[in-house]
């Protein structure tokens, strides 16, 4: 049970990092010109990770 909670906390942490650093991550990972779409996608992915981690943590 402790391992599952630890993995859920890591998933939440990754989600929050994706949300806050989406612009820098999109510049680093993707080289195409339209980075607004990539930033939006990374933020949505981070939000989904954080929600899944919170549901598993409960």
């Amino acid at each position: 049970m402790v391992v599952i909670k630890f993995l859920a906390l890591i998933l939440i942490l990754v989600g929050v990092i994706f949300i806050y650093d989406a612009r820098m991550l999109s510049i680093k990972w993707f080289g195409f010109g339209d980075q607004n779409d990539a930033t939006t996608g990374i933020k949505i992915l981070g939000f989904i990770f954080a929600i899944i981690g919170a549901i598993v943590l409960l």
Side-chain angles (χ1 to χ4, degrees):
M1 194 66 179
V2 175
V3 174
I4 293 173
K5 286 187 178 185
F6 183 70
L7 290 175
L9 286 174
I10 290 176
L11 193 62
I12 292 171
L13 177 69
V14 168
V16 170
I17 289 172
F18 275 11
I19 291 170
Y20 284 112
D21 292 338
R23 178 72 58 186
M24 291 189 312
L25 291 173
S26 68
I27 291 170
K28 185 177 177 181
W29 288 346
F30 306 112
F32 57 88
D34 191 18
Q35 292 173 349
N36 289 333
D37 292 336
T39 301
T40 304
I42 292 173
K43 284 186 178 187
I44 291 170
L45 184 66
F47 181 72
I48 291 171
F49 279 175
I51 294 296
I52 290 172
I55 289 172
V56 170
L57 190 62
L58 294 177

